[in-house]
Amino acid sequence: MSAPSRLWDIFCAVVDNYGDIGVCWRLAVNLAQRGQRVRLWVDDAAALRWLAPQGHAGVEVCHWSRPLTSADLPVEPADVLVEAFGCTLDEAVQARWAQQQTAHPGVWLNLEYLSAEPYVERSHLLPSPVLAGPAADCVKTFFYPGFTAKTGGLLREPDLLLRQQAFDRAAWRAQWGVPANALAVSLFCYEPPALPDLLQQLQTWAEARPVHLLVTPGRALQAIMNVLPAATQQALREQGRAAHGRLVLHALPWLAQTAFDELLWASDCNWVRGEDSLVRALWAGQPFVWHIYPQHDGAHHAKLQAFLHWLDAPASLRKFHAVWNGVLPEALPQLAYNELAQWRTCVQQARERLLQQPDLAVQLLAFVEESLVSIRNQTKLPDRSEG
């Protein structure tokens, strides 16, 4: 039975990459696919021009100007307020939320970052009373995405498996000029010091089998440009394709989220970064290397190790991750083809474990419904859902 239709306000502050807006857009679409109405408040929606050029029915993108005033807020109150990744809500938003609790009580969620660290299971669904400010006496609930049954799960669209089954991998590769017998490697990264080592390994592999490196735009492409000879840079910039020894480089355009998913499905190995593409790499079921978002205090090292522990990664995959992420300051390990097969088995086993768990949107909907029914029963207010 589908959940009643509710109105969600999701607030997203874009920091310095596309992870925040990427996750929030996927969540908004996922909820809309399940019959919900979503207002996505974003302080910088520029990335949506290529992430989601067609938009999506049921999702309204609202400009989050700082600070919002009461005059900027819609008349219709939301049933669910989502504060994504610890973004701080304007006082007017908090005041409106507090005021509506008498006539239209709702659920306020603090959607946190993804991690495999032990604190996630301990903190998931903990209440957080607001002690001061316009929303004093209101209560938020921490909602943690995660990889285990004691967390909020991962984003997974209801039609994901059907889309994957219908995907024509050979046609996709032909469209981008990747031969059927080639090893296709996607690259979505920050600026890893080991990038020259990776290019050298791929060139070595290309002596025995064609290798095509599919480079995403932005920081990954710029990082590649910084280590290429000037002539190769020029060819890649002007033609979108260049040879680097026997290795073939492709400079991809900006891809919509659905197209990015297909890139991961079509590739034989994926280098990904941040939160959103890590989850997409898991669903793709191909070998991958994760470039975790670097933090100045080194806290990302523990986060990386916790993920690799959950993944039950083989020793070669752990070592590769440690060097790629700068945990070990040494040359990138030499990787053999048979190790890629071992990595693929590891990823696919993890994927099967995840498919046995309810996804993030399903868990959010269940928690919201349980909470709203409880709140409105206590206050003797009618349920204003649409179905």
Side-chain angles (χ1 to χ4, degrees), residues 8-15 17-26 28 38-49 51-52 59-66 68 82 84-85 87 89-90 93:
W8 299 59
D9 273 334
I10 300 176
F11 280 81
C12 173
V14 179
V15 185
N17 291 293
Y18 309 115
D20 303 287
I21 183 63
V23 170
C24 287
W25 178 257
R26 285 194 193 270
V38 182
R39 293 187 299 225
L40 177 59
W41 295 84
V42 187
D43 58 356
D44 182 2
L48 290 179
R49 288 197 292 267
L51 275 175
V59 179
E60 176 187 0
V61 178
C62 304
H63 178 54
W64 183 5
S65 58
R66 303 282 188 104
L68 286 173
V82 179
F85 310 124
C87 65
L89 300 180
D90 302 302
V93 177

Side-chain angles (χ1 to χ4, degrees), residues 141-153:
T141 299
F142 286 108
F143 207 96
Y144 278 86
F147 304 95
T148 68
K150 294 182 180 180
T151 69

Side-chain angles (χ1 to χ4, degrees), residues 27 32 58-59 66 81 87 100-101 115 152 160 185 250-251 266 280 283 292 305 347 349 353:
L27 173 60
V59 179
R66 303 282 188 104
L81 179 63
C87 65
Q100 79 175 56
Q101 296 314 301
S115 178
L160 175 65
V185 179
H250 298 255
R280 309 321 292 185
W283 295 138
I292 190 171
Q305 294 307 318
V347 173
Q349 289 174 345
R353 296 198 301 270

